[in-house]
Amino acid sequence: MKKKTQMVHGGHTTDDYTGAVTTPIYQTSTYLQDDIGDLREGYEYSRSGNPTRTALESTIADLEGARFGFAFGSGVAAISAVVMLLDKGDHIVVNSDVYGGTFRVLTKVFKRLGIDADFVDTTHTENIESAIKPETKMLFIETPSNPLLRITDIQASADIARKHNLISVVDNTFMSPYFQNPLALGADIVLHSASKYIGGHSDVIAGLVATDNEELAERIGFIQNSTGGVLGPQDSYLLIRGIKTLGLRMEQVSSNAVAVTEMLSEHPNVEAVYHPSLKDHLNHDVQERQASGHTGVISFVVKDVDAAKAVIRETEYFTLAESLGAVESLISVPALMTHASIPKDVREKEGIADGLIRLSVGIEDTDDLVADLKQALDKLN
Ligand SMILES: *Cc1c(COP(=O)(O)O)cnc(C)c1O
C-alpha cells in the first residue's frame, strides 16, 4: 500500500459488528462479561483497551511501519510514558533544542525521580557519542526541531544508540508519518504530538507512540495501562478522521512552505530564514535523505521585536496562536510566547532573536499566503 492509500485503509477502522464504514465511537467505560472473565473481544475496561482507541493505535502502527501503537492523552503524556521505560539512576541524551514541554518534564519531574538528562547539539552526531556515559540508556531526538528547524541524522543517531545499547526515540511531530518514518531508519520508538499534523484541525490534544520491538511494546503497554494517560474514544475518533486527509494536507503544507520560504528569502526586510528546504540550511542533505517532503513550520528574522509585532498585526490569514500543524496558518513570536521563559542571553545564544517569527503554514491557497505575508513585510521600515 502506498502512503495515501494507507491513510484511508490502514489500521482496522471499519466495524465488524454493524459494517459501519467509519469507526464507531465506543463511548463506554466497561464491557459485559458473558461469564466471569469471559470477554467478547478481549475488552474489559476502557483504560486497558477501547475499540476506537485500538483502531487508532493500529493505524499509527501501520503508518510508521510498526506492529504496535499506543494512544495517549497528550504528546507530553506519550513522551512521559516512553521515559518511564527507564529506571532510577539511568541517563538520557536529548537534543538541546527539544520541545519545551519535553525539557520541562525531564528537568522538573524525571530528574527528581532520579532520571538525569543531558542536552546536546545533535546536529553533529559526534556530540551524542561524547555525551554517552555508562548509565546512559536512552537517546531522544526531535527532528526538525523548534523553532530553528535543526536537523538531526536519524540513521546515524540510531546507529550510535544501537552500538551503545540505548533505546533510540524520535519525536516525529514536525514531519508526520507521511513524510518521515524513523523506525525504517533504525530508531526503536517513534512518537508524535498528534495535537499537531495528525489531528490537523486545532481541535484535539493527543500523543501517539509506535514501535516494532515486541519487548518495548509490552512494556509501553504496561506503562500505559498502569499510569493511565490514555486517549478517550471521542478524541481517538477525531484523529482517525484527521489521518484520512493527512497525506493531502501534508502535500499542500509542503508546497505552501516552499513558496513562502522562497518569498521570505528574497525579501529585503527579512534578515534570516530557517527552513529545511533551503539548500544552505544545516544538514539539508540529511533531510533530503531521511524525509520525503517539508514541514510547514518556517522561522524568519525581522529587524526587532516591534517589527515582528507589526508583521503579526498586518497579516490577515495567519492566526496569532501557539501550536502548529493545523489546516489554518498560525504565526507566533517565540521570544515573547513559547520561549519567553528562557533568559534573553540564553535565547540569543541559541539563535532565538527577539525579531524571530515562527510560522506554521496551513493548507490555504499558496498565492494568498505568499501575498499576505509579503504585503505585511513591505510595510516595515
Ligand atoms: C506540541 C509538541 C509536543 C507536546 O505535545 P502535546 O500534545 O502538546 O502534549 C511534543 N513535541 C513536539 C515536537 C511538539 O510540537
Side-chain angles (χ1 to χ4, degrees), residues 189-253:
I189 296 172
V190 58
L191 57 85
H192 293 271
S193 166
S195 322
K196 314 296 165 53
Y197 286 112
I198 291 179
H201 296 73
S202 300
D203 53 8
V204 188
I205 295 291
L208 296 173
V209 175
T211 182
D212 203 41
N213 179 314
E214 195 162 356
E215 193 233 319
L216 289 175
E218 219 161 273
R219 292 172 59 204
I220 294 167
F222 182 83
I223 291 166
Q224 182 191 39
N225 187 39
S226 305
T227 62
V230 295
L231 191 66
Q234 308 250 4
D235 286 344
S236 296
Y237 170 79
L238 283 173
L239 292 191
I240 291 166
R241 181 175 168 126
I243 287 169
K244 307 269 185 209
T245 57
L246 180 61
L248 297 175
R249 287 187 283 112
M250 291 314 291
E251 296 284 359
Q252 179 72 5
V253 159

Side-chain angles (χ1 to χ4, degrees), residues 73-79 98-102 140 142-146 171-174 191-196 204-207 323-324 358:
S74 70
V76 165
I79 291 163
V98 75
Y99 176 74
T102 309
F140 186 107
E142 179 187 320
T143 178
S145 68
N146 181 33
D171 183 334
N172 202 24
T173 300
F174 272 42
L191 57 85
H192 293 271
S193 166
S195 322
K196 314 296 165 53
V204 188
I205 295 291
S323 196
L324 60 106
R358 192 190 78 176

Side-chain angles (χ1 to χ4, degrees), residues 4-182:
K4 278 201 195 106
T5 311
Q6 214 175 31
M7 290 182 172
V8 177
H9 294 286
H12 186 82
T13 55
T14 47
D15 186 39
D16 291 335
Y17 183 53
T18 62
V21 168
T22 56
T23 312
I25 301 170
Y26 283 93
Q27 192 69 42
T28 187
S29 61
T30 191
Y31 306 81
L32 167 82
Q33 306 191 9
D34 287 320
D35 201 346
I36 296 172
D38 186 1
L39 309 171
R40 297 237 171 132
E41 296 287 337
Y43 294 103
E44 181 176 34
Y45 185 61
S46 277
R47 169 162 38 73
S48 313
N50 173 286
T52 315
R53 197 176 92 219
T54 303
L56 170 65
E57 292 177 331
S58 65
T59 303
I60 189 60
D62 278 0
L63 297 184
E64 287 290 7
R67 283 174 294 162
F68 313 101
F70 303 91
F72 292 89
S74 70
V76 165
I79 291 163
S80 300
V82 166
V83 176
M84 284 183 221
L85 289 166
L86 300 178
D87 292 317
K88 185 176 173 191
D90 287 351
H91 173 253
I92 166 170
V93 175
V94 187
N95 58 297
S96 52
D97 49 356
V98 75
Y99 176 74
T102 309
F103 181 81
R104 183 173 55 200
V105 76
L106 288 171
T107 56
K108 303 278 193 215
V109 179
F110 285 108
K111 188 178 164 62
R112 211 162 36 72
L113 302 178
I115 295 166
D116 226 338
D118 270 319
F119 299 87
V120 302
D121 175 4
T122 55
T123 58
H124 301 283
T125 45
E126 320 74 271
N127 296 334
I128 298 173
E129 193 104 46
S130 28
I132 294 171
K133 310 195 271 193
E135 312 84 87
T136 308
K137 295 286 158 59
M138 184 177 279
L139 170 65
F140 186 107
I141 58 170
E142 179 187 320
T143 178
S145 68
N146 181 33
L148 299 179
L149 294 309
R150 294 204 179 105
I151 305 299
T152 298
D153 187 328
I154 297 171
Q155 188 154 19
S157 310
D159 287 348
I160 295 169
R162 199 171 313 104
K163 194 173 113 194
H164 294 272
N165 273 318
L166 317 183
I167 300 168
S168 56
V169 184
V170 177
D171 183 334
N172 202 24
T173 300
F174 272 42
M175 296 315 298
S176 90
Y178 185 65
F179 282 148
Q180 182 167 278
N181 299 112

